[in-house]
Amino acid sequence: GAVVSQHPSRVICKSGTSVKIECRSLDFQATTMFWYRQFPKQSLMLMATSNEGSKATYEQGVEKDKFLINHASLTLSTLTVTSAHPEDSSFYICSARVRGKDYEQYFGPGTRLTVT
Amino acid sequence: GQQLNQSPQSMFIQEGEDVSMNCTSSSIFNTWLWYKQDPGEGPVLLIALYKAGELTSNGRLTAQFGITRKDSFLNISASIPSDVGIYFCAGQLNFGNEKLTFGTGTRLTIIP
């Protein structure tokens, strides 16, 4: 139980284009999903908190117009990197909080984004 | 953003050895979580701690929630090759929609 999937697992795009990453909770409902970014050999840094049916809350320093988050249902959240640049290349990981178990977060397998 | 300090930063051990790592914070947390991350994968939850002083085991793993609520420890007994990876602690201030603050990570390598 508590499986989170992400799609795609890897994506390469050209500078200036937009990329959408999906995060799904497969066997549970997630009231809240989180998006993290992880650079090589570094820890996870929270980008934004996404609640179903409401606007995402972004961490300080994260551009909300560049990283668009949509949490349309209790099992799906999407992150769109708009007008991507090489410095946006990173490992993007989502997590989902199990509804009714607010202290447990389960992570997706991550999406490796490379912007050329 | 804020990060928790983990030590050691990296460990090189032989198979069968026991491992100890810790995580410290300048702030109090009410929940501590330990995760393991393999290369190119997302973190996997190992142990969750909800009460100061709590000692919890999961197989060969044992974790403790520090009595001051500012630290936590993870021990791995009789290490095996699949224990290789990066271990992260994470603190949560309150129940509910509170975000996690992650530690800096401890990279575990097993020497053949």
Side-chain angles (χ1 to χ4, degrees):
Chain A
V3 178
V4 178
S5 70
Q6 280 185 242
H7 178 79
S9 58
R10 290 176 178 269
V11 57
I12 301 173
C13 70
K14 292 185 177 181
S15 185
T17 62
S18 296
V19 174
K20 180 185 283 188
I21 302 171
E22 291 186 350
C23 176
R24 294 182 184 272
S25 57
L26 298 185
D27 53 359
F28 65 97
Q29 292 184 329
T31 51
T32 305
M33 290 184 172
F34 302 85
W35 287 95
Y36 295 83
R37 182 164 54 183
Q38 185 178 34
F39 292 108
K41 297 187 178 181
Q42 293 190 21
S43 186
L44 286 76
M45 298 301 295
L46 180 66
M47 299 175 65
T49 301
S50 168
N51 292 300
E52 185 264 339
S54 63
K55 291 184 179 180
T57 302
Y58 290 81
E59 293 300 299
Q60 190 174 8
V62 178
E63 300 175 59
K64 61 181 180 181
D65 294 331
K66 180 171 183 62
F67 298 99
L68 301 179
I69 292 173
N70 185 288
H71 194 156
S73 74
L74 285 172
T75 59
L76 174 64
S77 177
T78 60
L79 168 68
T80 301
V81 183
T82 62
S83 187
H85 290 99
E87 57 265 32
D88 297 325
S89 298
S90 187
F91 194 50
Y92 291 87
I93 311 173
C94 71
S95 71
R97 177 170 276 140
V98 180
R99 192 178 194 182
K101 293 186 177 181
D102 288 339
Y103 40 80
E104 294 181 8
Q105 278 190 37
Y106 293 88
F107 286 79
T111 296
R112 173 76 58 192
L113 170 63
T114 303
V115 184
T116 61
Chain B
Q2 180 187 5
Q3 281 191 335
L4 305 175
N5 292 316
Q6 280 184 247
S7 65
Q9 186 175 16
S10 60
M11 303 182 71
F12 296 85
I13 63 168
Q14 290 188 327
E15 184 177 349
E17 287 187 30
D18 296 342
V19 172
S20 292
M21 61 188 78
N22 68 68
C23 184
T24 59
S25 170
S26 57
S27 305
I28 288 174
F29 287 99
N30 289 317
T31 300
W32 285 90
L33 305 167
W34 283 93
Y35 289 88
K36 178 176 181 280
Q37 186 179 29
D38 292 328
E41 299 289 334
V44 174
L45 180 63
L46 299 174
I47 292 180
L49 303 159
Y50 311 117
K51 188 177 178 181
E54 177 182 359
L55 185 71
T56 297
S57 293
N58 178 8
R60 293 178 297 106
L61 278 61
T62 302
Q64 183 161 27
F65 190 147
I67 196 69
T68 65
R69 292 191 287 161
K70 291 184 178 182
D71 56 12
S72 180
F73 305 88
L74 176 69
N75 294 320
I76 305 173
S77 62
S79 59
I80 60 177
S82 61
D83 291 334
V84 167
I86 303 176
Y87 292 79
F88 289 103
C89 63
Q92 184 182 34
L93 184 58
N94 291 309
F95 293 141
N97 291 327
E98 196 64 35
K99 62 186 179 183
L100 292 180
T101 299
F102 273 84
T104 48
T106 294
R107 182 180 297 272
L108 178 64
T109 302
I110 294 183
I111 306 169

